[in-house]
Every structure is written in C-alpha cells, then in structure tokens.
Amino acid sequence: MGDIAFDADEARSAARVARRAAETLRGQAGARSGAVEPGLEDFEGSYAERFRSAAVIEAEDRARLAGVLVDLASQIGSAVAAAERERERQRAHAEWKARDADRKRAATAAKAFAGAAGRSAVDAWESFTDPEPSTEPEPRPEVDAEFRGRERARYGDGASGGRSSADPSRLQAFVTTTSGLDTTATAESEHLRSAWASFRSSCAWVTVDRASMPAGFERYVRENDEDRSWIGKVADAFEAAGGGGSPSNVALDIAATGRGGTGPPTAVRGRPDRGRGRGAMGRTRADESRCRRVRRTADERALATREPRGCSVLGAEHGERPRAEPATRRCGAPDRAAGGDSRIGG
C-alpha cells in the first residue's frame, strides 16, 4: 500500500493559523464592547435599536467563530496523529513482509535438511514471536469546518415616521476604534483562507464534511466593515443636523443608504462604498424592503407639495415656459375670465 496523501507540516501550520485567529477574535471582545457601549449613550430611536442589534449579532458570531476555529485546530491535530498511526502501521507491515520473505527463502534451503516436520515447528515458533501487524488501515479522519456569518439589518423604518437622536462624536469614536480591529480580523481571515486551501490540497487523505467556515469568516469581517461604514454615515447625518439634533428616520435612511430617491449610491468621505447593490451597501433583504418604502414615502411627500402637472398649458409640454395662471384656477377647471373652456382637444 502506498503512502497516504497527508502533509503533516501543512496540517500543523493550518492548525496554528486557526488557533491564532481564534485568540485574536477573543482578544477583541473588550475593545469592541468598549466601543459599542459609549456609542449607545444618548442614542435613541429605531437607529439605536438597529445599532444595538448589530452589536449583539457581531459579538455572538465572533464568539461562535472563535469556537469553530479552536475546534478545527483540534480536529486537524487529531488528523495528524491518525496519519502518524497509519504511516507507522504501513511501515511495520512492510518491515514484517520483508522479514517474512527472508524466512521463506531460508525455509526453502532448510527444508532439504530438516524436513517438512522441522519446518512446521519453525513456522509455528516464528508466528508466535513475530506476528503479522494489522492489515486494517487506520480510519480516515473527518474534519468539519462549519460557520456562516449572519446578516445584520442596519436601516430604520423611515416609512413609518419617527426620529432618532445620538451624539455623533460617540458614533465616530466607534468607527475609529473598530477600524483597527476590523483590519486585524480581515488579515486573520485572509491567512486562514490561505492555510485552509493548502491543507485541503496537501492533506487529501482527510475527509472534509462541511467547509463553509472560510467564506463565513469573510462574511463576518465584511459585515463588520459595513457596520462601520453605516455608523459613519449616520454620524455624519447627525452632525449635519447640528450635532444634538433629532433628524427623522426618513432622513437617516436616505443618508445611511447613500442615496436619495432611486439614484445610485454615493460614497461618504473616508468610507467609500464597495461597489453597488444591496450586498455592497450592507443592506439585507429586510433593509432593501424598508429602503423602498422610504423612497416611496419621500416621493409621495414631494409630490404632495408639487404644482399639479395638469395645470400647464400646451406650450409647457413642448419645453416652453408655462404662462402664469390665475391663483384661483384649479386643475382642469374652465377659465371663466376668458369665457371659454381650458380643456385641450375637447
């Protein structure tokens, strides 16, 4: 039987990377909590609830991911031990087969002198003193790396009205603190993905059950990046409202999504948006539904304050400046001063 496909050095390296990433994530607990708690002070309204909910999900996912990484390192360590046992079994059996071949060659020569009876006695003695090692291969170890980062709803429900208030300086402090933590976590995610890929390619003897963890780790750090971008935009909106103001949730929704109406998303200074679309903006499906309601509500309010288009004359429809009309005239009503009907083509 040939050697097994298992690089022990690559496996040990992957286990070290997983343990280090777990230690890094667990070591960030205090700093992240210290950034969230002050941010929640004086933060009220639906946006405060969104921020609190996102922080809870981040903390839970971080702890769960760290546990998965520690367990993965332990599983890889067990696989290294299993590979060593299998290789030792193969080596012992190969050595026994060589000795057995030597005995058989010697028996052929000795049989002429000792006879069949003498050879039978020798075979019985050697089978007792040098038994054949196990021919049963070591069971292939199984590694499970299952982790999926969760979506975090970030936008308020502006379509239902309401206002939020916060201290923008505290929110900006959250952005500043978590920026370094997120950079470190991202680096660990990249190292882990590389080490995991090397482990998979060099340790094919190991069976992998589920392998969502590398992608889940990336999802976790991406959600953190989007949290930071989102809170930065919210802080800018509060700052624009005068620092201590209470802007409407509609205004915050538009500011946080980086768009007004149905236009494309725009970048906020120091926090460029990574592409376009729901995923790039950090919106969940629920957020996207809320954003549509917000834009619809904003459009309806804008239309309610706009001059009805039916009151324009024919020239306006061809790009000409409409003539001023009497203030008392209603849309579609006859112009009694002119003594005629204002309807066109009637």
Side-chain angles (χ1 to χ4, degrees):
M1 181 178 180
D3 191 21
I4 58 177
F6 188 88
D7 188 325
D9 290 337
E10 289 288 354
R12 292 190 184 97
S13 176
R16 285 194 299 270
V17 171
R19 288 194 184 93
R20 185 183 63 202
E23 291 171 0
T24 297
L25 293 174
R26 287 175 171 171
Q28 291 187 353
R32 289 190 181 276
S33 176
V36 170
E37 291 174 1
L40 283 169
E41 292 183 20
D42 302 322
F43 200 174
E44 299 178 353
S46 63
Y47 264 75
E49 292 305 314
R50 292 289 181 191
F51 181 45
R52 183 179 290 105
S53 175
V56 169
I57 293 175
E58 184 282 322
E60 292 176 348
D61 279 4
R62 174 167 32 85
R64 190 161 51 91
L65 175 56
V68 169
L69 291 169
V70 169
D71 189 48
L72 174 63
S74 178
Q75 292 178 64
I76 293 176
S78 297
V80 171
E84 291 175 347
R85 290 193 299 270
E86 174 58 17
R87 284 180 169 143
E88 175 59 25
R89 184 198 68 79
Q90 291 186 14
R91 184 193 61 79
H93 195 269
E95 292 176 353
W96 178 87
K97 287 181 69 176
R99 293 193 303 272
D100 188 57
D102 290 342
R103 284 192 294 267
K104 287 178 179 177
R105 284 192 295 269
T108 301
K111 188 174 181 180
F113 299 97
R119 177 56 193 162
S120 297
V122 172
D123 288 345
W125 172 252
E126 289 181 344
S127 66
F128 177 75
T129 58
D130 188 19
E132 180 180 8
S134 172
T135 59
E136 193 70 27
E138 180 80 14
R140 293 176 62 183
E142 184 176 279
V143 169
D144 181 61
E146 175 69 7
F147 172 77
R148 299 178 186 276
R150 288 177 289 173
E151 287 185 335
R152 304 174 199 171
R154 297 179 177 86
Y155 302 99
D157 195 356
S160 65
R163 313 183 79 82
S164 294
S165 61
D167 182 344
S169 65
R170 296 182 185 276
L171 299 184
Q172 292 289 9
F174 167 85
V175 172
T176 301
T177 300
T178 56
S179 178
L181 298 173
D182 292 341
T183 298
T184 301
T186 298
E188 293 293 348
S189 172
E190 292 170 352
H191 293 157
L192 193 283
R193 175 173 280 280
S194 177
W196 176 252
S198 296
F199 171 75
R200 294 290 303 273
S201 63
S202 62
C203 300
W205 182 63
V206 174
T207 300
V208 176
D209 183 12
R210 296 175 295 178
S212 67
M213 180 275 300
F217 198 160
E218 290 184 353
R219 171 66 179 275
Y220 163 77
V221 297
R222 187 169 64 250
E223 291 287 333
N224 288 352
D225 287 344
E226 290 169 354
D227 274 353
R228 194 177 66 255
S229 176
W230 163 59
I231 288 299
K233 294 173 185 177
V234 171
D236 286 347
F238 280 118
E239 190 69 40
S246 299
S248 69
N249 289 334
V250 171
L252 288 175
D253 283 341
I254 293 174
T257 57
R259 66 173 72 183
T262 58
T266 57
V268 175
R269 67 178 185 276
R271 289 177 297 278
D273 292 315
R274 299 182 177 179
R276 300 176 180 236
R278 175 172 58 85
M281 293 298 294
R283 292 191 294 274
T284 65
R285 292 180 178 84
D287 288 333
E288 193 70 12
S289 176
R290 291 187 182 91
C291 288
R292 284 195 297 269
R293 293 201 303 272
V294 168
R295 292 194 294 270
R296 185 167 59 246
T297 300
D299 289 343
E300 289 172 353
R301 291 176 179 175
L303 287 172
T305 60
R306 193 178 301 168
E307 184 73 16
R309 293 184 178 181
C311 294
S312 64
V313 294
L314 182 60
E317 297 178 4
H318 293 277
E320 301 174 11
R321 182 181 299 276
R323 295 189 300 272
E325 300 188 14
T328 57
R329 182 179 175 187
R330 294 174 299 171
C331 181
D335 189 349
R336 292 183 175 84
D341 195 336
S342 67
R343 289 175 296 180
I344 298 172

